[in-house]
Amino acid sequence: MDQSNKKVLITGGAGFIGSHVVRLFVTKHPDYAIYNLDALTYAGNLENIKDLESFGNYNFIKADINEADSIKKLFLEHEFDAVIHLAAESHVDRSITNPNDFIETNVLGTANLLNAFREVHKDAYEGKLFYHVSTDEVYGSLGKTGLFTETTSYDPQSPYASSKAASDHIVRAYGNTYGLPFVISNCSNNYGANQFPEKLIPLFINNIKQSKPLPVYGDGNYTRDWLYVEDHAIAIDQIFHQGTVGETYNIGGFNEWTNLNLIKLLCQLMDEKLDRPKGNSEKLITYVKDRAGHDRRYAIDANKINKELGWKPSVTFEEGLEKTLDWYLANDEWLKNVTTGAYQDYYDKMYS
Ligand code: NAD
Ligand code: DAU
């Protein structure tokens, strides 16, 4: 869609993926006014977007999508033309301990945004768009073969996945019922700079640095399809501008790894970077109790976005991983700041 001189609201822009999406939009589209709305939960960090503060087209709004009245007020005040919705509770393990947080933010929070979008545009949507960012976890778990396509039936298995699935359904229902123009994308596992060290890759990087045990869930033979976060941001930009309203696009890395193989590669690269003897970090691998209801395998068929919009990952896994490790090693302060206080409590509860 053409959004020249329009106001684009991006939610969750202080988080991992959101920070990369905001940066791409602020720098690539100077004619848009970008509003980054974030509640700054444990996962939101203004350090992730500090470099954008001096840009004239960038605005930050601290707000909670669960507060329906404040959200409505903000929409009435700014009359956003488009929304790119990333704000969410995003960690599967936390959804197992606190499912209601996920239902509230991911389901009701999304509904609050949709209601505010309707209210401000009064169901007259020429040139407007609601872009909902979702996950491949809505499709459930794959066996040894097969890929998730856009028509795979939903079969979410964790409280996180089911809250995202519910939000996808609600977005589509508003499209069908009220004519609200939407697009949805469902992406595979992201990695890269700014990812909170509760997720596999940054958690293991941090532990390797500190020579702490590497907690592998179950037998470690779970498969994920990894995508470099900046490539996800590029895909979102392309779908936002060239995607067809009402459509869904799967985004993935064509890049499946079992956790164990990925962890071994990570250990090898970290040993090289930290000048440690070969095999040193692998000794830290510790098998721990499995995640409840752990999905065995995710893998995305990203041929639709590839064929229709010409998108494909721009970096190989080896290149992306190297950039990621270099970023975490160069940003020791960032890592220290997010792993003190509440993080230690979380870690002790989760892994003791
Ligand atoms: P994240 O946890 O790093 O960031 C989430 C952001 O949302 C944080 O800045 C947080 O402060 C904000 N937020 C949380 N609750 C909020 C609320 N009530 N109001 C306003 N802001 C709130 O998450 P992420 O990994 O960057 O994921 C972003 C989105 O992409 C999510 O919707 C997630 O489901 C989806 N996604 C993530 C991945 C992945 O691999 N990380 C893959 C596919 C899809
Ligand atoms: O597939 C997309 C999803 O990817 C996103 O929607 C989620 O927001 C994101 O968190 C991610 O979910 P996963 O559960 O796949 O990611 P996580 O990094 O938590 O775990 C990746 C794999 O590593 C998974 O099989 C569990 C395993 N794992 C994870 C942690 C944190 C371990 O073995 N040990 C760990 O300590």
Side-chain angles (χ1 to χ4, degrees):
M1 72 181 300
D2 176 22
Q3 286 291 345
S4 317
N5 300 317
K6 293 199 174 169
K7 292 184 175 182
V8 182
L9 175 73
I10 302 179
T11 70
F16 166 48
I17 301 170
S19 61
H20 293 277
V21 174
V22 169
R23 178 168 300 99
L24 183 65
F25 273 71
V26 167
T27 55
K28 191 174 168 200
H29 304 295
D31 50 337
Y32 301 173
I34 303 294
Y35 292 78
N36 173 10
L37 183 156
D38 199 296
L40 300 180
T41 68
Y42 78 92
N45 186 347
L46 288 176
E47 283 298 311
N48 294 346
I49 27 147
K50 204 169 167 37
D51 55 309
L52 299 178
E53 281 166 11
S54 57
F55 282 74
N57 63 336
Y58 174 70
N59 309 274
F60 179 74
I61 303 172
K62 184 172 185 307
D64 187 338
I65 59 168
N66 297 327
E67 291 174 8
D69 289 344
S70 326
I71 292 300
K72 227 167 247 178
K73 246 175 148 171
L74 278 168
F75 272 72
L76 290 170
E77 181 188 344
H78 296 290
E79 300 188 347
F80 304 115
D81 299 291
V83 176
I84 306 177
H85 175 37
L86 295 107
E89 289 293 338
S90 69
H91 191 38
V92 173
D93 292 326
R94 288 184 196 255
S95 83
I96 293 167
T97 10
N98 293 313
N100 278 22
D101 291 352
F102 287 69
I103 294 161
E104 190 175 4
T105 296
N106 298 356
V107 185
L108 295 175
T110 301
N112 289 337
L113 291 169
L114 289 164
N115 290 335
F117 198 65
R118 282 195 66 209
E119 179 139 335
V120 75
H121 296 302
K122 312 223 172 323
D123 288 340
Y125 295 114
E126 183 64 38
K128 314 295 177 205
L129 184 67
F130 190 101
Y131 185 148
H132 181 59
V133 175
S134 193
T135 171
D136 60 357
E137 300 204 10
V138 299
Y139 300 121
S141 185
L142 289 163
K144 285 203 169 69
T145 57
L147 299 169
F148 297 134
T149 70
E150 288 79 1
T151 55
T152 300
S153 299
Y154 274 34
D155 187 19
Q157 299 294 317
S158 71
Y160 163 69
S162 58
S163 68
K164 292 295 293 186
S167 65
D168 293 9
H169 289 317
I170 291 166
V171 171
R172 289 196 183 97
Y174 274 57
N176 180 60
T177 310
Y178 307 115
L180 187 145
F182 71 89
V183 281
I184 298 178
S185 56
N186 296 81
C187 188
S188 64
N189 286 61
N190 284 215
Y191 68 97
N194 300 349
Q195 189 169 31
F196 192 79
E198 61 188 351
K199 309 280 165 56
L200 180 74
I201 290 182
L203 188 141
F204 277 44
I205 292 173
N206 190 34
N207 284 16
I208 292 171
K209 271 183 71 188
Q210 299 181 43
S211 298
K212 280 173 59 177
L214 304 177
V216 177
Y217 295 163
D219 62 7
N221 283 317
Y222 292 87
T223 299
R224 298 290 183 265
D225 171 357
W226 293 92
L227 177 69
Y228 188 53
V229 63
E230 291 182 23
D231 279 328
H232 188 185
I234 292 169
I236 289 174
D237 182 38
Q238 281 188 238
I239 293 169
F240 182 82
H241 290 98
Q242 299 146 34
T244 304
V245 169
E247 288 289 315
T248 295
Y249 297 87
N250 280 358
I251 309 170
F254 302 100
N255 180 40
E256 288 183 54
W257 286 76
T258 63
N259 292 344
L260 260 186
N261 285 341
L262 164 53
I263 291 160
K264 286 181 182 162
L265 174 63
L266 208 55
C267 287
Q268 182 203 316
L269 293 172
M270 284 294 279
D271 282 345
E272 286 164 19
K273 299 234 173 247
L274 296 171
D275 234 354
R276 290 181 181 168
K278 208 171 163 202
N280 188 278
S281 299
E282 255 193 61
K283 290 188 198 135
L284 299 169
I285 291 177
T286 310
Y287 292 90
V288 299
K289 188 168 174 268
D290 210 347
R291 172 184 280 174
H294 200 165
D295 286 338
R296 199 64 175 168
R297 176 171 165 257
Y298 305 144
I300 282 276
D301 178 346
N303 276 308
K304 176 174 171 178
I305 183 171
N306 175 250
K307 291 212 172 83
E308 290 186 13
L309 308 183
W311 175 91
K312 63 176 195 299
S314 70
V315 294
T316 64
F317 191 45
E318 287 70 17
E319 286 165 345
L321 208 51
E322 175 121 16
K323 280 174 191 252
T324 305
L325 300 190
D326 287 344
W327 186 86
Y328 280 96
L329 292 173
N331 288 276
D332 205 38
E333 272 307 297
W334 184 96
L335 205 47
K336 276 194 186 130
N337 289 341
V338 300
T339 51
T340 50
Y343 180 81
Q344 285 308 326
D345 296 341
Y346 164 79
Y347 197 90
D348 292 344
K349 270 196 203 114
M350 191 66 215
Y351 294 101
S352 64

